[in-house]
């Protein structure tokens, strides 16, 4: 075996420096990429929106799978991907009803959440199958999310969906005289906004939208974990504040959403009237939005004389119930909320 020449001090120094040089180059590249992302993120809502969407999509898929375990064996008729508009998958709906239904049924129209920039009707389909099994026609709506669509596009699309449901009530198994608007998270905000449009002519005029259904057709709303005061939302800080501000920039198309007409008209707590329909409203005690959004809306509706049913949990309740807790049906509290929702629907509809 040939002996290698002894390594001199200069060679050892070079060998030590090379990996550090490569590390410095790698760190420099990462820093450069981060700088580019930061610059782009300051100019466009897309990078942040796509990050949030990826996280929410994973969570939505997992939650839907969790709910699937709780869907009963009741035989349903399902009509999926019904087109109510001309924007492809964005303007479609899924319709569920008991297979035993002999005629039209009270109908729950559900608007999915996802911070206005993620989510789809499939996320709530399992929950609507559960509700349909109790004797309702249930409809899950898609709409164009941000940043692909800018406010108030989704509001117009949802109004179009209600127009379609009303016009095709017989074939969809819908009792058009008994419609319940429902939603979760951003979908609850949109459901509250649609209900305000239907019940407040002044607000409809302000939005320049002719409601597709009459106030006499809207018998109730179901609002879970929603946002109803955009000024309060704008005051959030930390990671939650960053997330909501990024989402609202993407959905509104402007960084000044909190000061302009977007935030003002989305803040339904300021626009609801005594004619707002009877409402079920809930939120988890571990969700900051409950205390910042859901409780104040419930209080405002009660001040106006609206019949309100609430399902809130004391602040110290354990476990702390997270945002969208009502979909986590492995939790007994979620099953309690489901039963209270069914009791509410039974009390305000006729089958």
């Amino acid at each position: 075996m040939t002996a290698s020449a002894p390594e001199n001090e200069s060679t050892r120094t070079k060998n030590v420096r090379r990996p550090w040089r490569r590390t410095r180059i790698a760190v420099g590249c990462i820093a450069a990429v981060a700088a580019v992302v930061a610059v782009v993120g300051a100019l466009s809502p897309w990078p942040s929106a796509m990050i949030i969407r990826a996280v929410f999509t994973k969570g939505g898929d997992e939650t839907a799978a969790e709910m699937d375990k709780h869907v009963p064996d009741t035989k349903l008729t399902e009509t999926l991907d019904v087109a109510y508009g001309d924007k492809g998958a964005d303007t479609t709906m899924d319709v569920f009803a008991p297979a035993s239904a002999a005629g039209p049924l009270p109908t729950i129209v559900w608007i999915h959440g996802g911070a206005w920039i993620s989510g789809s009707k499939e996320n709530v389909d399992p929950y609507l199958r559960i509700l349909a099994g109790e004797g309702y026609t249930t409809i899950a709506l898609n709409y164009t999310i941000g940043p692909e669509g800018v406010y108030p596009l989704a509001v117009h699309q949802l109004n179009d969906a209600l127009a379609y449901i009303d016009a095709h009530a017989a074939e969809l198994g819908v009792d058009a005289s008994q419609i319940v608007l429902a939603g979760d998270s951003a979908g609850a905000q949109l459901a509250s906004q649609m209900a305000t449009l239907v019940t407040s002519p002044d607000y409809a005029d302000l939005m320049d939208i002719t409601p597709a259904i009459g106030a006499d057709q809207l018998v109730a709303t179901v609002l879970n974990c929603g946002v109803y005061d955009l000024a309060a939302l704008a005051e959030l800080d930390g990671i939650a504040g960053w997330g909501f501000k990024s989402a609202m920039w993407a959905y509104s198309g402007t960084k000044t959403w909190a000061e302009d007409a977007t935030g003002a008209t989305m803040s339904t707590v300021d626009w609801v009237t005594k004619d707002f329909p009877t409402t079920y409203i809930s939120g988890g005690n571990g969700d900051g939005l409950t205390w910042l959004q859901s409780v104040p809306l419930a209080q405002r509706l009660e001040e106006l004389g609206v019949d309100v049913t609430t399902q809130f949990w004391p602040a110290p309740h354990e476990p702390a119930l997270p945002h969208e807790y009502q979909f986590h049906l492995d939790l007994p509290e979620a099953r309690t909320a489901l039963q209270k929702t069914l009791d509410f629907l039974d009390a305000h509809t006729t089958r």
Side-chain angles (χ1 to χ4, degrees), residues 25-26 30 58 133 135 143 154 157 165 178 199 201 207 214 258 295 332 341:
I25 292 171
I30 292 170
K58 182 176 183 295
Y143 53 93
Q157 290 175 333
I165 292 167
Q178 297 190 79
T199 56
M207 292 292 294
V295 169
T341 300

Side-chain angles (χ1 to χ4, degrees), residues 233-304:
L233 192 71
E235 295 299 317
L236 286 176
D237 52 18
I239 189 66
W242 169 82
F244 277 116
K245 289 169 187 175
S246 298
M248 278 303 303
W249 181 14
Y251 180 61
S252 68
T254 174
K255 278 186 171 181
T256 61
W257 55 269
E259 295 85 37
D260 64 21
T262 298
T265 55
M266 286 178 65
S267 297
T268 50
V269 70
D270 296 326
W271 299 101
V272 292
T273 70
K274 63 181 180 59
D275 296 318
F276 198 83
T278 183
T279 296
Y280 169 89
I281 187 166
S282 182
N285 65 307
D287 178 7
L289 292 180
T290 296
W291 314 107
L292 193 67
Q293 303 286 336
S294 295
V295 169
L297 179 64
Q299 292 172 340
R300 177 58 182 152
L301 291 173
E302 288 171 345
E303 288 170 2
L304 291 167

Side-chain angles (χ1 to χ4, degrees), residues 30-293:
I30 292 170
V33 170
V36 170
V37 171
V39 170
V40 174
L43 299 174
S44 167
W46 280 83
S48 296
M50 294 305 103
I51 292 170
I52 295 168
R53 182 179 296 177
V55 173
F56 278 31
T57 297
K58 182 176 183 295
D61 291 344
E62 291 172 350
T63 302
E66 180 183 338
M67 285 190 285
D68 274 334
K69 298 181 297 182
H70 297 272
V71 176
D73 293 332
T74 307
K75 189 174 181 181
L76 304 176
T77 58
E78 302 189 0
T79 309
L80 307 181
D81 300 319
V82 178
Y84 70 80
D86 59 1
K87 296 295 184 183
D90 286 358
T91 48
T92 57
M93 62 177 70
D94 292 343
V95 185
F96 308 94
S100 60
L105 294 171
T107 299
I108 304 159
V109 179
W110 198 289
I111 305 170
H112 72 78
W116 306 278
I117 59 171
S118 67
S120 70
K121 56 185 173 58
E122 286 77 13
N123 294 148
V124 298
D125 278 355
Y127 203 76
L128 296 196
R129 289 185 175 99
I130 294 170
L131 298 181
E134 297 293 330
Y136 300 92
T137 295
T138 61
I139 301 177
L141 299 180
N142 266 353
Y143 53 93
T144 301
I145 55 179
E148 290 87 347
V150 174
Y151 179 82
L153 175 60
V155 181
H156 287 273
Q157 290 175 333
L158 295 170
N159 195 53
D160 291 343
L162 292 177
Y164 184 94
I165 292 167
D166 191 43
H168 297 81
E171 63 195 79
L172 296 174
V174 169
D175 179 350
S177 70
Q178 297 190 79
I179 292 176
V180 178
L181 283 174
D184 58 285
S185 193
Q189 184 278 322
L190 284 162
S192 75
Q193 194 168 10
M194 301 309 298
T196 305
L197 277 169
V198 171
T199 56
S200 173
D202 289 343
Y203 183 71
D205 287 344
L206 180 70
M207 292 292 294
D208 195 24
I209 295 176
T210 300
I213 62 172
D216 59 331
Q217 295 175 263
L218 180 59
V219 296
T221 63
V222 172
L223 307 176
N224 286 301
C225 307
V227 173
Y228 317 102
D229 183 346
L230 276 290
L233 192 71
E235 295 299 317
L236 286 176
D237 52 18
I239 189 66
W242 169 82
F244 277 116
K245 289 169 187 175
S246 298
M248 278 303 303
W249 181 14
Y251 180 61
S252 68
T254 174
K255 278 186 171 181
T256 61
W257 55 269
E259 295 85 37
D260 64 21
T262 298
T265 55
M266 286 178 65
S267 297
T268 50
V269 70
D270 296 326
W271 299 101
V272 292
T273 70
K274 63 181 180 59
D275 296 318
F276 198 83
T278 183
T279 296
Y280 169 89
I281 187 166
S282 182
N285 65 307
D287 178 7
L289 292 180
T290 296
W291 314 107
L292 193 67
Q293 303 286 336

Side-chain angles (χ1 to χ4, degrees), residues 7 10-20 22:
E7 188 176 42
S10 176
T11 302
R12 286 197 300 272
T13 301
K14 288 179 181 178
N15 289 340
V16 170
R17 285 176 178 170
R18 282 187 188 120
W20 282 105
R22 289 193 295 271

Side-chain angles (χ1 to χ4, degrees), residues 1-6:
M1 183 171 67
T2 305
S4 60

